[in-house]
Amino acid sequence: MAWLWLVVGVALAIAEVFTTTFVLVMLAAGAFAAAAGAALGLPWYLQVLVFSVVSAAALALARPAIRRHLQTDAPGAPMGLAAIEGALGLVLERVDLDHGLIKIEGEMWSARPYDATQVIEKGERVRVIEIKGATALVWRE
């Protein structure tokens, strides 16, 4: 009986990949728990009870937390280049009027100082003021 629960759990987990609703994966968790119960020798009606309880608990507790964590389209959340403006960066190569390289959230960006008179040395922290094309206009922090 444990093999049957495992097959059901794997099938539900695979089906979740195509739906991305976080419902089927919670049912898969219940199926895996029931498989563990079957492996321990629980009778079929207790396996069904374990499946039901674990699935219901996962749907009630884990699913909302996962959905909140993965929700990226929150109202007012900046996206694209607007999300980079205002971010902090680390100067990798000296930033002056002619050239410069910074790291913003793990990505390399060419950079120029927002104030043309500034020269920002390697290792300093900068704030992105504006994005122009593929270049970040930065200000020393």
Side-chain angles (χ1 to χ4, degrees):
M1 191 69 160
W3 289 106
L4 178 62
W5 284 112
L6 284 175
V7 169
V8 169
V10 168
L12 287 167
I14 290 171
E16 176 63 40
V17 172
F18 299 105
T19 65
T20 65
T21 60
F22 297 107
V23 171
L24 297 178
V25 75
M26 300 303 155
L27 297 176
F32 292 138
L40 293 174
L42 292 179
W44 69 269
Y45 55 89
L46 287 180
Q47 294 171 31
V48 171
L49 180 66
V50 167
F51 170 77
S52 301
V53 168
V54 170
S55 295
L59 283 167
L61 302 174
R63 184 174 181 260
I66 291 171
R67 301 266 306 164
R68 244 188 336 269
H69 178 71
L70 293 177
Q71 191 163 19
T72 57
D73 57 340
M79 295 179 62
L81 295 180
I84 295 172
E85 291 179 356
L88 286 175
L90 175 66
V91 176
L92 300 176
E93 292 179 7
R94 180 181 164 158
V95 176
D96 58 29
L97 192 56
D98 298 319
H99 68 283
L101 184 67
I102 63 172
K103 188 176 194 178
I104 308 167
E105 297 179 9
E107 294 182 5
M108 310 287 233
W109 282 79
S110 60
R112 303 291 175 271
Y114 188 73
D115 175 0
T117 62
Q118 270 190 343
V119 174
I120 308 166
E121 297 298 327
K122 178 180 178 180
E124 291 189 59
R125 295 274 179 196
V126 292
R127 179 149 324 262
V128 178
I129 303 300
E130 185 179 351
I131 300 291
K132 289 228 180 200
T135 303
L137 300 179
V138 299
W139 189 268
R140 180 181 295 126
E141 266 299 291

